[in-house]
Amino acid sequence: MSILIHRDATFIVQGITGREAVNLTRECLDYGSKIVGGVTPGRAGRDVYGVPVHDCVRDITAKTHVDGSVVTVPPRFTRDAVFEAIEAGVKLLVIVTERIPRGEVAQMVELARLRGARIIGPNCLGILSPEEAKMGGLGGPAVNVRRAFRKGPIGVMSRSGGMTTEICNTLSAAGLGQSTAVSIGGDAIIGSSYAELMPLFEADPETKAIVIYSEPGGRMEAELADWVRENRSRLPIVAFMAGRFMDEMPGMRFGHAGTIVEGKADTTADKIERMKAAGISVAERIEDIPALVKERL
Amino acid sequence: MNAMFIDVQVDAAVAADTALAKKLTEVCPVNIFAQEKDGRLRVVEENLDECVLCELCIQAAPAGSVRVIKLYEQ
Amino acid sequence: MRFYEYEAKALFARHGAPLLRGRLAHTAAEAKTIAAEIGGAVVLKSQVLTGGRMKAGGVKFADTPEQAETAATAILELEINGQKPRGVLVEQRAGVAQEYFAAVTWDGRRKLPVLVFSDMGGIDIEEVAETHPEHVAQVHLSTLVPFSPFKAKEAVAAVGVTGDDLTRLTPIVASLVEVFLRYDLTLAEINPLGKTTDGRFLVLDGHVDLEAEARDKHAKLLTELGIGKEETRQARPPTRFEIRGAEVDASDHRGVAGNVVEFDGDLGLVIGAGGGSLTLFDAIRKHGGRPANYCEIGGNPSVKKACELTKLILSKPGVKKIAVMMNVVSNTRVDIVARGVIKGCVESGRDPADTIAIFRIPGAWEDDGFKILGKYRVEYCDRTVSMFEAARRAVAKMQAA
Ligand code: SF4
């Protein structure tokens, strides 16, 4: 099995006629994903690689069952697009768009909570379950995906889209396939943190271990450490921490929007300490991850 | 500076065909084709290295009349 | 993006928060005039975007305009944590009976704004929260249900404030929340919020952080407060090299070749993307390498952009070689980056084979990329070589050179 998506999951693409969205649509279709429609207001009647374009999300949900939506519209239209999908009953939103003010992200998260929907992102590349489906640009064209991703027992969560592929590639080369890889997003506030996705992996019998990629900034690693301790997770976790040099450079912003050291809790040193205390293995180098995983499988 | 990686060659007949010239300027995503005032096709030297090898120009013209050459394979 | 104290106070005042009389001075003479206008005792505060101002000697008191002039001279010359002050804020001095703390910020775990109020202001709030939790109130706010002042009242009352103090504090705290929500702030803080000996409440110091993503949305406010478009308000002002890096990134819309940060080493880095750059920068340092810069390329930049970035890095004095590295790419193309960096070397009058210490970008279009690199005899590696190992090879070459 996998989490969040599977081979029969249906989804739509909001903003489907945009340049990046067109690419992403083709990549997902090539990988076998079921895209049942696209939305770009005013462009109803067109199609993108055979996927019909509609004006409203409800035009699609009225006729077809829709499990999720990939939202890739400009930042100032994103909140509206996400609200539209949630109010039309869509339960899984992958928000690709970056540079959305966090106040608006919080509004989307709050509405999703009220309606029982889940948000992945923003500022993410989406979800990929090898040999099942791909929802978003993660891994790129289908040929590249097949090179880097393999089916297997590892759940992967990463604050960096590019590093999701790098890590999965390293795991695959070492014979460790993935159940599902989630690019969770690089912003300060995101729809689903590591700890919030853990119960899904926990419930997935195929998943046997977790690998995460983390960075300075935010409390997400501390939250994961708390979750692991409180829930006595069956899943061993291996973490890789990038941006250690930033500990010496408070107030400077590098990498993603969520990556900044403002207080002690934002430093990699503090996060590593907390994770280790909770029994999470922390890898010094990406290539050390497979051995650390195998040790604990 | 001359192109280092890509060359695009166009048959004289294609260059003189103003309708085809217009089409080529439209399909190329990185503006490697332009039209002279008289409508003739001009290959924009300084953009050649931006070619993304999409082959849209090759598909838009009669077979073999537009050639995209990878100089690094020479 | 942080505001100076005088800007934060100006913003609060627009929404009704009570301030002391005072104004920003750019020269000592101006400070003297302002002190004379106010009449009586004043406080002079260095305007810097860093903490530790009091300890460093950036805050002084004066009883006469002449004293104010002398104090301002000293403050204007004093650098604090490497920052020259923007000016000196000259304010009336008030007799303060008690100090409170009020702030609104984001709770990343709950994903909601949180209002924090304490009757133990003026000191580190995290410390108070640990040692005297009953003196710190936290009230989470909805981003969907419109804000109503009772939330501010609840926070103030929660630490035991009642009577006139409660009714006077509530509107001040409520206006702080409104400012936070209205301008997409990531922090709005009044600390201390002082109660004078005659029972009035005043904003004694204020902090505001505006979300970088919301700058365009609030351009009008920034202009009105006199904050220039070119002001990045990072922990330190941008260097010339960094400004030129931003220009390269802005030169065309295709992809990113940005976030250039200058360091003082000799190995230039053309690295990407967000997470990959952090990983690679760590790796270079772990091997004892000395980076000349940090940067992020991604989103498939044009050949020209990669070329210009390479030229910029090579133009930095002391840069001997560059390392071109990324995580496995799927959107950015290997061949396009290879063309860009090789062209950048050649246009800088350098031999790519000698200048590029290592090229480690596997992924989309790698076959074409590797052909290009082979032709120019640049050492490259594919996905079987880790980012860490590629960084090691680059550093080894620097040390051998
Ligand atoms: S292959 Fe594509 S990018 Fe290259 S010249 Fe032809 S149309 Fe332009």
Side-chain angles (χ1 to χ4, degrees):
Chain A
M1 265 308 283
S2 52
I3 70 160
L4 299 166
I5 53 171
H6 51 84
R7 67 182 65 214
D8 297 318
T10 54
F11 64 91
I12 61 172
V13 177
Q14 288 176 268
I16 193 165
T17 52
R19 190 168 66 115
E20 293 303 318
V22 167
N23 278 337
L24 171 161
T25 301
R26 181 163 73 176
E27 289 171 13
C28 292
L29 290 171
D30 284 351
Y31 199 66
S33 299
K34 309 230 169 357
I35 305 181
V36 294
V39 177
T40 298
R43 303 279 171 85
R46 290 178 43 171
D47 80 283
V48 173
Y49 296 112
V51 175
V53 179
H54 299 269
D55 286 331
C56 304
V57 175
R58 279 196 195 279
D59 297 339
I60 310 168
T61 54
K63 296 188 198 108
T64 325
H65 175 75
V66 175
D67 290 311
S69 174
V70 176
V71 183
T72 167
V73 302
R76 63 179 193 286
F77 304 123
T78 309
R79 178 180 53 191
D80 187 46
V82 170
F83 278 20
E84 181 185 356
I86 294 176
E87 295 298 27
V90 177
K91 297 295 183 209
L92 176 64
L93 289 297
V94 169
I95 307 175
V96 175
T97 311
E98 47 182 306
R99 304 188 64 81
I100 308 169
R102 72 186 85 176
E104 295 188 12
V105 178
Q107 289 180 313
M108 301 178 214
V109 172
E110 207 174 330
L111 185 68
R113 234 177 236 164
L114 281 173
R115 301 284 187 262
R118 173 181 293 280
I119 290 175
I120 303 292
N123 191 6
C124 79
L125 290 185
I127 311 165
L128 198 153
S129 287
E131 295 175 27
E132 292 284 332
K134 159 175 142 91
M135 186 173 173
L138 186 58
V143 289
N144 292 36
V145 172
R146 291 191 188 100
R147 262 180 160 165
F149 296 79
R150 293 276 145 71
K151 196 176 182 62
I154 316 296
V156 177
M157 296 183 273
S158 168
R159 286 169 65 179
S160 157
M163 290 302 288
T164 314
T165 305
E166 179 77 26
I167 286 173
C168 290
N169 181 69
T170 304
L171 289 169
S172 299
L176 293 168
Q178 304 87 46
S179 56
T180 301
V182 189
S183 158
I184 61 174
D187 283 357
I189 293 188
I190 53 172
S192 301
S193 62
Y194 308 120
E196 288 167 315
L197 291 173
M198 277 304 288
L200 278 67
F201 280 119
E202 193 78 26
D204 171 37
E206 193 195 329
T207 302
K208 301 283 192 295
I210 300 290
V211 172
I212 68 162
Y213 164 92
S214 53
E215 294 180 344
R219 303 289 183 272
M220 234 180 293
E221 290 76 17
E223 184 193 13
L224 175 66
D226 290 349
W227 189 91
V228 169
R229 212 175 298 121
E230 285 158 19
N231 294 276
R232 307 165 136 267
S233 173
R234 71 174 169 92
L235 298 167
I237 305 178
V238 176
F240 174 79
M241 176 67 68
R244 298 183 190 217
F245 70 96
M246 286 178 58
D247 285 5
E248 300 150 36
M249 307 181 74
M252 294 287 283
R253 192 159 143 175
F254 293 88
H256 303 109
T259 312
I260 186 167
V261 173
E262 277 162 344
K264 183 173 167 291
D266 292 323
T267 62
T268 60
D270 187 83
K271 288 165 188 262
I272 290 170
E273 199 184 295
R274 281 172 198 266
M275 289 197 286
K276 281 188 172 166
I280 296 171
S281 309
V282 180
E284 287 285 322
R285 312 178 303 176
I286 299 287
E287 56 264 51
D288 297 339
I289 296 173
L292 287 170
V293 172
K294 284 175 181 169
E295 221 169 71
R296 300 185 53 184
L297 268 182
Chain B
M1 165 144 237
N2 283 338
M4 294 172 63
F5 307 100
I6 301 291
D7 192 20
V8 174
Q9 296 175 350
V10 180
D11 282 355
V14 172
D17 181 338
T18 56
L20 192 49
K22 181 159 185 283
K23 198 165 161 200
L24 286 170
T25 58
E26 280 167 9
V27 297
C28 177
V30 292
N31 304 322
I32 284 173
F33 304 100
Q35 278 181 287
E36 303 285 9
K37 283 199 192 74
D38 63 4
R40 282 182 62 88
L41 187 73
R42 179 168 67 92
V43 172
V44 184
E45 291 283 329
E46 60 268 31
N47 287 351
L48 279 173
D49 279 338
E50 296 289 349
C51 171
V52 293
L53 307 170
C54 64
E55 303 188 352
L56 290 172
C57 54
I58 296 172
Q59 287 162 17
S65 63
V66 173
R67 294 171 298 281
V68 176
I69 296 155
K70 298 176 181 177
L71 297 172
Y72 49 91
E73 283 184 343
Q74 304 273 299
Chain C
M1 186 199 135
R2 237 175 120 172
F3 282 26
Y4 286 99
E5 177 191 358
Y6 73 95
E7 294 163 346
K9 284 183 167 169
L11 176 60
F12 294 157
R14 290 160 69 119
H15 295 270
L19 300 185
L20 289 156
R21 279 190 66 192
R23 219 164 74 227
L24 181 75
H26 295 281
T27 63
E30 220 181 314
K32 185 182 176 186
T33 315
I34 297 169
E37 275 168 28
I38 293 169
V42 294
V43 54
L44 297 102
K45 296 153 109 182
S46 175
Q47 295 299 292
V48 283
L49 297 174
T50 174
R53 184 171 63 168
M54 189 68 140
K55 242 194 201 147
V59 180
K60 293 185 186 303
F61 303 97
D63 292 322
T64 65
E66 287 70 29
Q67 279 177 13
E69 188 178 19
T70 315
T73 308
I75 289 173
L76 287 168
E77 275 168 10
L78 179 74
E79 269 194 20
I80 303 177
N81 293 334
Q83 285 188 27
K84 270 209 141 15
R86 166 66 66 99
V88 54
L89 180 62
V90 187
E91 275 185 344
Q92 187 180 18
R93 220 161 116 196
V96 175
Q98 195 184 348
E99 295 185 336
Y100 296 84
F101 172 98
V104 192
T105 185
W106 283 99
D107 179 343
R109 272 195 188 197
R110 297 273 299 271
K111 303 166 194 178
L112 292 173
V114 59
L115 166 61
V116 184
F117 184 84
S118 172
D119 57 349
M120 291 175 71
I123 44 179
D124 181 31
I125 191 68
E126 290 190 23
E127 211 180 295
V128 180
E130 260 171 44
T131 53
H132 300 88
E134 70 285 3
H135 285 278
V136 180
Q138 293 200 25
V139 173
H140 284 90
L141 308 166
S142 169
T143 57
L144 293 178
V145 180
F147 171 73
S148 197
F150 81 87
K151 288 269 188 188
K153 183 185 70 180
E154 286 181 351
V156 177
V159 297
V161 176
T162 181
D164 283 350
D165 287 357
L166 177 66
T167 55
R168 283 180 190 156
L169 276 166
T170 299
I172 299 173
V173 176
S175 78
L176 186 70
V177 177
E178 276 156 12
V179 168
F180 177 90
L181 295 172
R182 175 158 173 180
Y183 296 109
D184 292 281
L185 303 184
T186 54
L187 174 71
E189 178 181 311
I190 303 176
N191 183 30
L193 169 53
K195 182 185 179 185
T196 58
T197 37
D198 56 0
R200 289 179 302 141
F201 287 91
L202 292 164
V203 176
L204 299 182
D205 197 356
H207 300 281
V208 162
D209 228 315
L210 172 82
E211 182 154 33
E213 274 71 19
R215 268 187 92 137
D216 290 345
K217 194 165 153 189
H218 302 296
K220 187 165 162 272
L221 172 77
L222 297 183
T223 312
E224 285 166 10
L225 291 175
I227 299 172
K229 276 207 168 59
E230 71 293 347
E231 293 188 54
T232 60
R233 298 280 173 100
Q234 279 257 22
R236 60 168 172 75
T239 65
R240 241 190 75 71
F241 178 77
E242 288 164 2
I243 292 167
R244 285 177 57 205
E247 284 166 8
V248 169
D249 194 36
S251 65
D252 82 63
H253 68 279
R254 286 180 50 202
V256 178
N259 218 338
V260 178
V261 182
E262 186 164 14
F263 286 82
D264 56 8
D266 51 9
L267 175 60
L269 298 180
V270 178
I271 51 177
S277 289
L278 297 181
T279 304
L280 288 160
F281 199 89
D282 278 347
I284 290 283
R285 299 223 315 180
K286 188 95 184 172
H287 291 298
R290 297 172 44 241
N293 67 286
Y294 172 91
C295 77
E296 285 162 19
I297 53 171
N300 203 20
S302 62
V303 172
K304 180 154 165 285
K305 217 158 166 172
C307 169
E308 293 301 322
L309 176 68
T310 304
K311 280 160 72 179
L312 170 68
I313 293 171
L314 287 174
S315 74
K316 190 167 138 56
V319 172
K320 299 206 184 71
K321 292 181 189 294
I322 56 170
V324 185
M325 307 182 287
M326 283 182 80
N327 47 252
V328 178
V329 293
S330 39
N331 177 17
T332 297
R333 278 172 56 164
V334 180
D335 60 333
I336 301 286
V337 180
R339 285 185 215 168
V341 293
I342 287 173
K343 201 166 185 165
C345 289
V346 172
E347 290 188 7
S348 302
R350 305 225 205 175
D351 174 11
D354 202 47
T355 309
I356 301 175
I358 193 85
F359 185 104
R360 193 272 186 192
I361 308 182
W365 290 79
E366 64 182 15
D367 296 342
D368 277 80
F370 295 163
K371 270 184 207 155
I372 294 170
L373 293 159
K375 171 158 180 177
Y376 286 87
R377 291 173 296 105
V378 173
E379 184 182 339
Y380 64 87
C381 36
D382 63 13
R383 69 184 64 205
T384 60
V385 174
S386 73
M387 297 163 89
F388 194 76
E389 167 60 14
R392 190 195 63 76
R393 289 187 196 174
V395 174
K397 270 201 186 168
M398 290 299 289
Q399 287 160 352

